[in-house]
Amino acid sequence: DNGNTILDEDGKPKDPRGALTRLGPKLGMSAAEIDQARKSTGFIVCSGPDGVAKIAGSATVYGNGMQLVTNTHVLVDENGRSRGPCYFQNQDGKNSVSVNLDLRKLKTFRTSASAFNDDVALVRLTQKIPGAKGYPIGGSQPLARNEKMIVISATQIEMREKVPNDEPAVPQCRAKE
C-alpha cells in the first residue's frame, strides 16, 4: 500500500471492480469494445467422463481466436486425468463451443510452485466463436511501472458488487513492475 488507498463509507478499502457495462465507459471503453469483451470472455465447463461431476472456471479467447487461456485444474484432476468433455460459453450468452481436450497437446504452467490450483492452461477450441476476437499475445512494448491498464475477467472472487454470470468484471489497475 502506497498510502493512496481509497476508502468506502465504512472505512474499508474501496473495491475498484465492477460490472463491465457499468465501469467500461468510465474507463474509456467504447460500446464496441465492451461487446467484444463479452464475446471473448466467459466460462469453460467440463462435465467429467461420467457427465455428472461438473467443474467450471473463467476463460478468455486469445491469439487467433482458436485458443483459450484458463486454469489447468478445471481441465484435469490432481492425477492428470481429463475432466472432459468441456465447452466454452462466452458472456454474450449466444455462443457455446466445444474444447479440443487432447492432453498430449495441452500447454500448462504454474504461476508459483505452491498450490495445485495456482496454474494456467492453454487449450484449443474446435472452432472459432462467431464475432469473438482473441486478445493479442504480448505487445509491442511492455507495460511501464504505474501504467494504467484494464483487466477483464469472467468473474472475480469476493467482489462487493454482485455481478451476474453473463457480465464480465473489470477493474482499472496499474502495473507494479
Side-chain angles (χ1 to χ4, degrees), residues 2-177:
N2 60 7
N4 294 328
T5 302
I6 299 171
L7 303 178
D8 66 13
E9 57 277 353
D10 298 324
K12 296 179 181 174
K14 187 173 182 178
D15 190 344
R17 303 170 297 175
L20 177 63
T21 52
R22 183 177 66 77
L23 290 180
K26 293 178 184 177
L27 298 173
M29 293 179 73
S30 69
E33 289 170 322
I34 290 169
D35 183 55
Q36 183 58 51
R38 293 187 74 212
K39 289 178 180 170
S40 302
T41 307
F43 297 94
I44 190 163
V45 180
C46 297
S47 59
D50 60 2
V52 177
K54 284 196 174 181
I55 185 168
S58 60
T60 301
V61 178
Y62 76 95
N64 68 5
M66 287 292 295
Q67 299 92 10
L68 294 175
V69 60
T70 189
N71 293 103
T72 306
H73 66 271
V74 174
L75 305 172
V76 298
D77 67 16
E78 298 89 353
N79 298 311
R81 291 185 300 248
S82 171
R83 294 188 196 266
C86 304
Y87 66 91
F88 174 72
Q89 173 67 56
N90 69 356
Q91 287 182 289
D92 78 353
K94 297 176 184 166
N95 294 290
S96 169
V97 174
S98 62
V99 173
N100 181 1
L101 196 51
D102 182 345
L103 295 184
R104 295 167 296 165
K105 295 182 180 178
L106 184 65
K107 306 288 186 211
T108 65
F109 58 95
R110 293 200 176 277
T111 55
S112 75
S114 60
F116 165 70
N117 64 349
D118 190 11
D119 53 9
V120 178
L122 308 177
V123 64
R124 292 184 83 48
L125 294 168
T126 57
Q127 65 188 42
K128 283 191 174 186
I129 296 169
K133 294 179 187 169
Y135 289 98
I137 301 169
S140 59
Q141 304 240 337
L143 289 171
R145 182 174 175 79
N146 214 24
E147 185 174 347
K148 287 183 181 180
M149 62 181 159
I150 299 171
V151 178
I152 299 171
S153 176
T155 186
Q156 292 283 317
I157 296 172
E158 298 177 5
M159 273 182 58
R160 289 191 188 154
E161 179 181 339
K162 297 298 179 208
V163 177
N165 282 341
D166 64 347
E167 178 76 30
V170 60
Q172 181 174 9
C173 45
R174 295 182 181 272
K176 284 181 107 176
E177 296 178 17

